[in-house]
Amino acid sequence: MKKRIVSGMRPTGKMHLGHLHGALLNWKNLQEEYDCFYFIADWHALTSEYAKPDIIRQSTRDILIDWISVGLDPDVCTFFIQSSIKEHAELHLIFSMITPLPWLERNPTYKEQLKELTQRDVYTYGFLGYPVLQAADILMYKANGVPVGEDQAPHVELTREIARRFNYLYGTVFPEPDVILTPTSKLLGMDRRKMSKSYGNAIFLTDTNEEIGRKVMQMITDPQRARKTDPGNPDICNVYSFHEIYSAKDLVAQINKECRTAEIGCVECKKMMAENLKKGLEPVKARRKELEADVKRVDEVIEEGNRKSRIIAARTMEAVREAVKI
Ligand code: TRP
Ligand code: SF4
């Protein structure tokens, strides 16, 4: 029997290259080895987007199409929507009874988000309980592993603590899942900050070739390289990081050399990268187009995933109610 993994994404906008290289390709790498449950965390999105929730439904479908377009296989993985499996809410409620407040208040991701999400009021009960809901998502399927980035590792640790506490109080129901750490993507946004929709520095999977060309031209390269005659350092250049992924090996080697000797200018270098990036994204866009024309197929994928997930969730909740004697 394959080990099971569970991971989710909040539907708060379109997928960009940060998601692709920071999560989705890793999910794809794991899809044969593990029994994968990948889901849209729409209730989690609501913790921060509650005042303007329209984005959630819009992006839910978009994200599912993106997942399949980049090569996550719905015949191999199970995709579902969190809010379609009401058991998550019940398990969240039960976990909230046994989760000590200080565990949530000292959570580093929570403290950071409070500082970061300044345009929204997230001093809410729901936002504090975000990791409790996440623990319910993970433990519902008795996952052995959770593929996430470093920022989410504290949430998986908290999940383990909640599982341990539940098992201690009521008898063993849940395994303690391991973090499967996703290597951080080297690809930054145009401004060299982390790629993020809210920074306005992201290249989206759905960007047209014109948009891609324009965004690549805006990219900050080696900041030390002011003139074309200055030698550059590809090791610290974001354009070069894109070349490493999207260009052929010999071109990458050539650029590495010619950048250091100032034989190549950044404009020329960017043009080549943009072309290769466009080509690299072509198959993704082609699949997206097919899926957009076949709405029924996407609906079927969701329905089938929801159905499978619901069966497991129902079984887990029976065991939970039995253990809690309620
Ligand atoms: N908190 C995760 C994020 O921001 C999303 C998420 C919700 C999740 N539930 C999960 C990830 C369960 C892994 C497992 O990306
Ligand atoms: Fe970066 Fe290319 Fe310019 Fe070198 S030539 S600094 S790799 S954009």
Short mmCIF file of all heavy atoms in Angstrom, two decimals, residues 221-222 225 237 239-240 255 259 264-266 269, ligand 2:
data_model
loop_
_atom_site.label_atom_id
_atom_site.label_comp_id
_atom_site.label_asym_id
_atom_site.label_seq_id
_atom_site.Cartn_x
_atom_site.Cartn_y
_atom_site.Cartn_z
N THR A 221 18.05 42.55 -13.05
CA THR A 221 19.08 41.53 -13.26
C THR A 221 20.10 41.63 -12.12
O THR A 221 19.73 41.89 -10.99
CB THR A 221 19.74 41.70 -14.64
OG1 THR A 221 20.40 42.97 -14.70
CG2 THR A 221 18.70 41.62 -15.74
N ASP A 222 21.36 41.42 -12.41
CA ASP A 222 22.41 41.63 -11.41
C ASP A 222 22.46 43.13 -11.11
O ASP A 222 22.80 43.93 -11.98
CB ASP A 222 23.75 41.13 -11.99
CG ASP A 222 24.93 41.55 -11.13
OD1 ASP A 222 24.72 42.20 -10.09
OD2 ASP A 222 26.07 41.23 -11.51
N ARG A 225 25.34 45.37 -12.13
CA ARG A 225 25.70 45.55 -13.54
C ARG A 225 24.94 46.75 -14.11
O ARG A 225 23.81 46.62 -14.56
CB ARG A 225 25.38 44.28 -14.31
CG ARG A 225 26.03 44.26 -15.67
CD ARG A 225 25.77 42.99 -16.44
NE ARG A 225 26.56 43.03 -17.67
CZ ARG A 225 26.36 42.29 -18.72
NH1 ARG A 225 25.41 41.38 -18.72
NH2 ARG A 225 27.13 42.42 -19.79
N CYS A 237 21.62 36.55 -10.38
CA CYS A 237 20.68 37.15 -11.33
C CYS A 237 19.44 36.27 -11.51
O CYS A 237 19.53 35.09 -11.83
CB CYS A 237 21.36 37.35 -12.68
SG CYS A 237 20.21 37.98 -13.90
N VAL A 239 17.16 36.50 -13.82
CA VAL A 239 16.97 36.09 -15.23
C VAL A 239 17.73 34.79 -15.48
O VAL A 239 17.24 33.87 -16.14
CB VAL A 239 17.46 37.20 -16.19
CG1 VAL A 239 17.39 36.74 -17.64
CG2 VAL A 239 16.64 38.47 -15.99
N TYR A 240 18.91 34.71 -14.90
CA TYR A 240 19.71 33.50 -15.06
C TYR A 240 19.02 32.29 -14.41
O TYR A 240 19.03 31.19 -14.98
CB TYR A 240 21.11 33.71 -14.47
CG TYR A 240 22.03 32.53 -14.69
CD1 TYR A 240 22.58 32.29 -15.95
CD2 TYR A 240 22.32 31.64 -13.66
CE1 TYR A 240 23.41 31.20 -16.17
CE2 TYR A 240 23.14 30.54 -13.87
CZ TYR A 240 23.69 30.33 -15.13
OH TYR A 240 24.49 29.24 -15.35
N ILE A 255 25.74 31.52 -21.53
CA ILE A 255 25.34 32.77 -20.87
C ILE A 255 26.17 32.98 -19.60
O ILE A 255 26.64 34.09 -19.33
CB ILE A 255 23.83 32.76 -20.56
CG1 ILE A 255 23.07 32.98 -21.86
CG2 ILE A 255 23.47 33.82 -19.54
CD1 ILE A 255 21.60 32.71 -21.75
N CYS A 259 28.19 36.36 -19.66
CA CYS A 259 27.74 37.38 -18.70
C CYS A 259 28.95 37.87 -17.89
O CYS A 259 29.16 39.07 -17.73
CB CYS A 259 26.67 36.79 -17.79
SG CYS A 259 26.18 37.86 -16.43
N ILE A 264 27.82 39.44 -23.39
CA ILE A 264 26.38 39.48 -23.68
C ILE A 264 25.74 40.56 -22.81
O ILE A 264 26.12 40.76 -21.65
CB ILE A 264 25.72 38.10 -23.44
CG1 ILE A 264 24.24 38.13 -23.84
CG2 ILE A 264 25.86 37.65 -21.99
CD1 ILE A 264 23.55 36.78 -23.77
N GLY A 265 24.77 41.28 -23.37
CA GLY A 265 24.05 42.30 -22.61
C GLY A 265 22.77 41.71 -22.02
O GLY A 265 22.27 40.69 -22.49
N CYS A 266 22.25 42.40 -21.02
CA CYS A 266 21.06 41.88 -20.33
C CYS A 266 19.83 41.86 -21.24
O CYS A 266 18.98 40.97 -21.12
CB CYS A 266 20.78 42.71 -19.09
SG CYS A 266 22.04 42.49 -17.82
N CYS A 269 20.05 38.81 -23.36
CA CYS A 269 19.90 37.67 -22.48
C CYS A 269 18.44 37.46 -22.10
O CYS A 269 17.92 36.34 -22.12
CB CYS A 269 20.75 37.90 -21.23
SG CYS A 269 20.76 36.53 -20.08
FE1 SF4 B 2 21.59 38.36 -15.76
FE2 SF4 B 2 21.82 37.69 -18.29
FE3 SF4 B 2 22.31 40.20 -17.50
FE4 SF4 B 2 23.98 38.27 -16.85
S1 SF4 B 2 23.51 38.96 -18.91
S2 SF4 B 2 23.21 39.86 -15.49
S3 SF4 B 2 22.60 36.54 -16.56
S4 SF4 B 2 20.37 39.14 -17.45
#
